[in-house]
Amino acid sequence: MDDRTYTADAEPGETATVAGWVHEIRDLGGIAFLILRDTSGRIQIKFEKEEMDEAMVETGMGLSRESVVSVTGEVKEEPRAPTDVEVVPDSLEVLSAADTELPLDPTEKVDAELSTRLDNRTLDLRREAGQAIFEIRSEVLRAAREAFRAADATEINTPKIVATGTEGGTELFPITYFGQEAFMNQSPQLFKQLVAGSNVERVFEIGPIFRAEEHNTPRHLNEATSIDFEGAFCDHHDAMDVCEQVVVAAYEAVAENCEEALEALELAEAFETPETPFPRLAYEEAIERINATGELDEQLVWGDDLPTEGEKALGDDVGGHYFITDWPAEIKPFYIMDHDDDETLSTGFDMMHPRMELVSGGQREHRREQLIEGFEAQGLDPEAFEYYTKMFKYGMPPHAGWGLGGERLVMTMLDLDNIREAVLFPRDRQRLSP
């Protein structure tokens, strides 16, 4: 429709063709109004029944909400209209009629359960708030890419069908690949290391990951978007610096470019960019501070992973984004390098929002012998990862990186109750369709 005018661009005095969805119809007797909605906003269509073609008026008044129509007419100034202008139609074409009974109300006058919204995502995204989340998500990913490029990183795409799991374990989705067993990739970890070991040096990827974990909570998914970085000649401190830059860039871009979306979510006044630098707490200090809050039934001891209640207690104590560093080597993956002066401590780090973990990363073990020992220590067969380990024979530089949960970043940024709100078509233990 080359001659179409978006509702936000309709100017008084011109003849325009606007097209969109029937948002609402108000019949006042001799006069009636149809509110038409498109991606740019809404506009009022005015029907003066005695002065207009009877068939056109009858068609307009007989429309069900969410039907798709095209209207051509003169745009007039009208201060009483929702957007100060209205269209007086010369013609109206029904492009697609909607059922009279809708599974949810896009006007948001009637709330719908999240499961109903996800079952009817197309309708759900006609809500201002629903659309706003994905406008912001798009801006987050755009800003992340720009921040990576500013950090001299090259965008890559790694395989999502693999012969072995990145981290082993049971959190794998097996598939049949031309008669062979294969898996959906848990992470681009091993592949991005291999590329960082080439002359490319700094790389990033934004793409899907798959984890067959049993968690069924408001913050877990089985298919998620991972925002990954890997840099040669970087240590864990360098990697944390890049991580901080990317997260802050995402917040700054949303604050600058998504004002209307933030208003639709009622967040415009409360939205704040995180203060930098993010505090960096050693694991030992983190568990001491959690224990000091008195929020846990049992005190944490060295080697414990942080429970959800512990993360929340520490987040409330810190009050903003922060890193936890120097994790015990025994609870970090085989590819995380230990400190040279203390092998009980790893260079692994997590970046936390007060509500939850967002990032896991660290410096990688680039020395082949130590890497093989790490495989064996975690009960993994190095030969199953020969495509990976053999490259460490040919000169692998020191390198470090991290993975950031894209949906968790959006969820915490917008204070969403459930991570599924930040995914168009989420995949979890119960949901495989739509």
Side-chain angles (χ1 to χ4, degrees), residues 90-399:
D90 296 321
S91 64
L92 182 151
E93 180 182 1
V94 180
L95 302 176
S96 176
D99 285 349
T100 55
E101 293 187 12
L102 301 174
L104 59 84
D105 180 10
T107 68
E108 302 184 81
K109 293 178 180 178
V110 179
D111 291 334
E113 296 290 335
L114 179 59
S115 60
T116 300
R117 290 169 45 206
L118 296 178
D119 287 342
N120 302 277
R121 207 44 152 155
T122 300
L123 269 178
D124 183 52
L125 294 180
R126 296 178 191 173
R127 298 181 309 114
E128 283 188 332
Q131 185 175 339
I133 291 171
F134 292 97
E135 292 288 348
I136 290 171
R137 177 185 166 119
S138 177
E139 182 65 15
V140 165
L141 298 183
R142 185 204 63 78
R145 284 187 166 92
E146 282 196 4
F148 281 126
R149 295 298 292 177
D152 297 323
T154 299
E155 185 165 9
I156 62 171
N157 299 102
T158 60
K160 303 309 164 201
I161 300 175
V162 295
T164 55
T166 301
E167 299 170 14
T170 59
E171 296 178 357
L172 292 164
F173 285 114
I175 61 172
T176 300
Y177 189 72
F178 298 105
Q180 302 179 61
E181 183 179 51
F183 304 94
M184 302 301 294
N185 206 3
Q186 298 165 301
S187 162
Q189 178 62 46
L190 306 187
F191 291 100
K192 67 178 180 173
Q193 284 186 254
L194 295 180
V195 182
S198 72
N199 212 47
V200 180
E201 294 194 9
R202 286 190 167 201
V203 298
F204 74 95
E205 177 171 12
I206 300 176
I209 59 171
F210 306 87
R211 294 181 180 268
E213 57 187 327
E214 295 297 317
H215 297 294
N216 189 27
T217 76
R219 62 178 185 172
H220 286 94
L221 294 166
N222 295 113
E223 178 182 354
T225 304
S226 188
I227 302 171
D228 277 84
F229 169 78
E230 203 72 28
F233 305 104
C234 291
D235 63 16
H236 52 297
H237 299 293
D238 300 322
M240 283 188 279
D241 289 343
V242 175
C243 178
E244 187 174 291
Q245 292 162 16
V246 169
V247 170
V248 170
Y251 271 84
E252 289 177 341
V254 170
E256 182 176 351
N257 301 321
C258 298
E259 183 177 352
E260 289 185 6
L262 290 171
E263 287 177 355
L265 294 167
E266 300 181 350
L267 293 174
E269 295 183 7
F271 191 82
E272 294 181 355
T273 298
E275 294 185 7
T276 57
F278 297 170
R280 299 184 182 185
L281 312 178
Y283 167 84
E284 186 172 14
E285 179 186 352
I287 61 173
E288 288 174 355
R289 288 178 66 166
I290 292 172
N291 287 337
T293 66
E295 294 293 325
L296 301 187
D297 294 334
E298 295 184 11
Q299 296 276 285
L300 297 176
V301 298
W302 180 265
D304 286 344
D305 208 349
L306 304 188
T308 300
E309 316 84 67
E311 289 179 356
K312 184 179 185 307
L314 183 56
D316 291 342
D317 190 37
V318 175
H321 291 77
Y322 63 99
F323 290 97
I324 301 177
T325 65
D326 302 324
W327 284 76
E330 64 191 44
I331 61 174
K332 281 296 178 181
F334 63 86
Y335 49 78
I336 297 291
M337 190 174 183
D338 298 336
H339 283 284
D340 289 334
D341 57 353
D342 187 348
E343 292 186 353
T344 67
L345 294 179
S346 77
T347 60
F349 62 82
D350 289 350
M351 195 275 283
M352 313 291 292
H353 179 275
R355 288 179 64 184
M356 68 188 72
E357 174 193 331
L358 299 183
V359 171
S360 182
Q363 186 168 345
R364 318 309 189 183
E365 181 54 77
H366 65 282
R367 299 163 298 184
R368 187 171 186 275
E369 288 186 8
Q370 286 87 339
L371 183 65
I372 296 298
E373 290 174 2
F375 273 105
E376 294 170 344
Q378 293 197 6
L380 298 172
D381 180 6
E383 292 186 6
F385 296 84
E386 195 264 346
Y387 73 92
Y388 168 73
T389 59
K390 75 176 182 181
M391 291 298 130
F392 287 74
K393 297 178 181 179
Y394 311 132
M396 183 64 68
H399 56 287

